[in-house]
Amino acid sequence: EEASAVPAAQRGSWSSFLKSIASFSGDLSSLTAPPFILSPTSLTEFPAYWCERPDYFAAIADAAPGQDRAIAVLRWFISTLKDQYTSRNEELGSEKKPLNPVLGEVFYGIWPDKNGRGETSLLVEQVSHHPPITAYVIENRTKQLRLVGHNAQKTSFSSGSIIVKQIGHAVLTVAGEEYLITFPRLRIDGLWYGSPYIELAETSHIVGGGYTCSIEYKGKGYFSGKSHTFKATLTPLPGMGGAGPREIVVEGTWHETSKFVKGGGGTFYEVREHKEETIPLPWDAELGEYETRRLWFLVAKGIREGDFELASREKSRIENEQRQRRKDEAAEGTSWQLKHFEIVESDPICEPCFQTFPLPPSLLFLFCCWFTSPFVTSRQFISTTFNHHCRAL
Ligand code: CLR
């Protein structure tokens, strides 16, 4: 029998946490979890994962428009998956429960220029608290690259695992060309033993530049029997095939290695050859009041140092302050003003893109869901003041 990672004193609260997830679906962030599973990182920091391979990001702009660029977009996307979905296991020993950002919480970062790749900058804002929605802009001006996205999660419980449906999407703009990116579904396993980890499931898409790409994810016991497997199929949209081969297929594991199996040859991506560049931002009392690493400074310190009394006292203080702010706003008839984003009900970037591309049935279905969902899916958050604030850093 596998040993449990749950400290003896927290077994009771871990099993009641599991019971409450099982009888519940929606916003997991509101459930109280035992200390051993708490992470000192706020969800506003997660969009940084898109930036940790700045060379691959820049390579998108350097690739020729058409097939080469579609491949570069896919390669960059795949290169971020290991950091997005396995780094907490590597750094903290297991997947953990992140801090739930407050409305208006912001996080900024910069990945410096090196060898002419240009500077990559990141801006994140928590644009909703209930349900939690995080919006971000990533920009490399030298290369004229911009990624604008927002994300939320819908969670449910199924045969011992947490199933996380990612809501939202990102739009990558490169020299005027647009790519629409959707996100995979997550399965969180290992809950029983207190050592949760993520497996990706189902299919995500990248559509743009005359190509459509579907990425299918499988774990242990599916087509290769290996964990973290994917198969990406890149197809030119009708009338936009150009001179390249009709279809490209890439297969492998997203945390290790992958290769072309159709329409090309050799290695597609080798994770070991590249090191992720994590953000060099310190926890600092001189940051703005709503900047993640100032706002959560003491909570994170408490979690990291095992001082859970400090962590929970500070967390309650932040939450009470938020409740008071919402009450005051209600009383004054005002509402919180977002700093960098505004919510637009229909998406001027995506809509024309959906209408002009003849889409395969699976994608049509996906887009229909976006437009009919009562949740946040058909909304796009457009950055209003990104340039200004990033310059100020
Ligand atoms: C956020 C968007 C990133 C990718 C990503 C990775 C890990 C996900 C996270 C997203 C959302 C929140 C998440 C987390 C893993 C665990 C955590 C689903 C999708 C939940 C809320 C915590 C579950 C608690 C157990 C670990 C006990 O691009």
Side-chain angles (χ1 to χ4, degrees):
E1 196 187 290
E2 225 174 302
S4 174
V6 185
Q10 296 176 38
R11 299 233 162 108
S13 67
W14 180 242
S15 64
S16 43
F17 176 68
L18 292 182
K19 268 179 217 144
S20 54
I21 313 177
S23 58
F24 165 95
S25 76
D27 177 8
L28 265 192
S29 57
S30 59
L31 298 178
T32 311
F36 85 94
I37 206 72
L38 301 179
S39 150
T41 308
S42 165
L43 266 183
T44 51
E45 297 206 23
F46 282 50
Y49 293 125
W50 296 113
C51 309
E52 291 178 350
R53 312 279 170 165
D55 295 320
Y56 281 113
F57 193 50
I60 294 171
D62 296 338
Q67 197 180 59
D68 284 355
R69 182 164 288 162
I71 292 172
V73 174
L74 176 64
R75 185 176 282 119
W76 159 74
F77 177 83
I78 298 295
S79 81
T80 71
L81 299 180
K82 178 172 179 275
D83 306 344
Q84 306 251 16
Y85 301 112
T86 70
S87 56
R88 277 84 51 204
N89 291 71
E90 290 185 358
E91 282 154 28
L92 309 168
S94 82
E95 190 54 75
K96 304 256 167 167
K97 188 171 184 283
L99 299 171
N100 185 28
V102 306
L103 179 62
E105 184 175 329
V106 286
F107 182 74
Y108 308 108
I110 285 199
W111 283 255
D113 180 23
K114 244 186 236 170
N115 309 320
R117 72 181 184 197
E119 177 186 279
T120 305
S121 54
L122 166 71
L123 175 160
V124 184
E125 183 169 9
Q126 189 69 13
V127 295
S128 167
H129 185 67
H130 278 303
I133 309 173
T134 310
Y136 51 91
V137 183
I138 293 161
E139 197 175 49
N140 179 333
R141 287 199 171 182
T142 313
K143 300 287 180 184
Q144 291 187 57
L145 282 164
R146 194 176 158 97
L147 181 77
V148 182
H150 70 273
N151 338 5
Q153 297 87 39
K154 241 180 185 173
T155 51
S156 56
F157 197 73
S158 165
S159 45
S161 315
I162 299 175
I163 308 293
V164 182
K165 186 178 170 196
Q166 296 204 65
I167 313 271
H169 55 265
V171 175
L172 171 71
T173 310
V174 44
E177 231 175 37
E178 272 145 10
Y179 292 82
L180 175 68
I181 300 170
T182 65
F183 315 125
R185 192 164 291 200
L186 277 57
R187 239 184 100 94
I188 305 179
D189 284 317
L191 292 169
W192 184 253
Y193 299 105
S195 45
Y197 61 91
I198 291 175
E199 187 55 89
L200 299 182
E202 304 202 15
T203 309
S204 76
H205 297 92
I206 304 176
V207 190
Y211 283 78
T212 165
C213 183
S214 63
I215 308 152
E216 230 184 303
Y217 306 87
K218 295 273 153 65
K220 242 188 221 128
Y222 292 90
F223 45 55
S224 76
K226 270 206 258 171
S227 311
H228 304 343
T229 308
F230 76 95
K231 176 182 176 184
T233 309
L234 189 69
T235 323
L237 290 164
M240 298 176 119
R246 259 217 67 68
E247 196 178 73
I248 287 179
V249 180
V250 172
E251 269 181 32
T253 51
W254 46 260
H255 68 308
E256 285 170 345
T257 175
S258 51
K259 56 181 197 297
F260 288 96
V261 297
K262 191 175 168 192
T267 304
F268 174 71
Y269 179 64
E270 184 73 59
V271 178
R272 268 168 307 186
E273 284 173 9
H274 313 272
K275 176 107 187 71
E276 74 274 11
E277 296 180 30
T278 45
I279 198 165
L281 186 74
W283 290 85
D284 196 339
E286 279 164 36
L287 296 167
E289 194 194 347
Y290 268 67
E291 285 192 57
T292 297
R293 292 195 182 185
R294 172 160 166 203
L295 183 75
W296 295 104
F297 181 76
L298 289 174
V299 177
K301 185 171 186 278
I303 292 173
R304 264 198 250 98
E305 294 171 2
D307 185 350
F308 295 108
E309 218 184 280
L310 172 69
S312 77
R313 189 171 64 234
E314 281 298 308
K315 187 168 169 281
S316 308
R317 184 187 57 76
I318 294 171
E319 286 165 355
N320 291 337
E321 224 172 75
Q322 288 296 306
R323 271 190 283 273
Q324 190 55 48
R325 233 174 242 270
R326 300 290 91 84
K327 268 189 209 152
D328 294 346
E329 286 164 2
E332 292 160 9
T334 58
S335 65
W336 178 264
Q337 295 301 301
L338 295 174
K339 208 167 171 184
H340 305 294
F341 294 88
E342 75 187 2
I343 298 175
V344 288
E345 292 297 329
S346 74
D347 180 345
I349 297 174
C350 290
E351 255 156 311
C353 153
F354 300 155
Q355 283 155 14
T356 51
F357 292 145
L359 297 160
S362 62
L363 284 177
L364 275 177
F365 172 68
L366 196 78
F367 296 152
C368 282
C369 294
W370 282 349
F371 290 120
T372 54
S373 165
F375 200 48
V376 293
T377 47
S378 65
R379 294 180 183 178
Q380 171 85 342
F381 298 93
I382 306 272
S383 168
T384 49
T385 60
F386 173 61
N387 298 339
H388 170 71
H389 281 278
C390 241
R391 287 300 113 199
L393 264 170

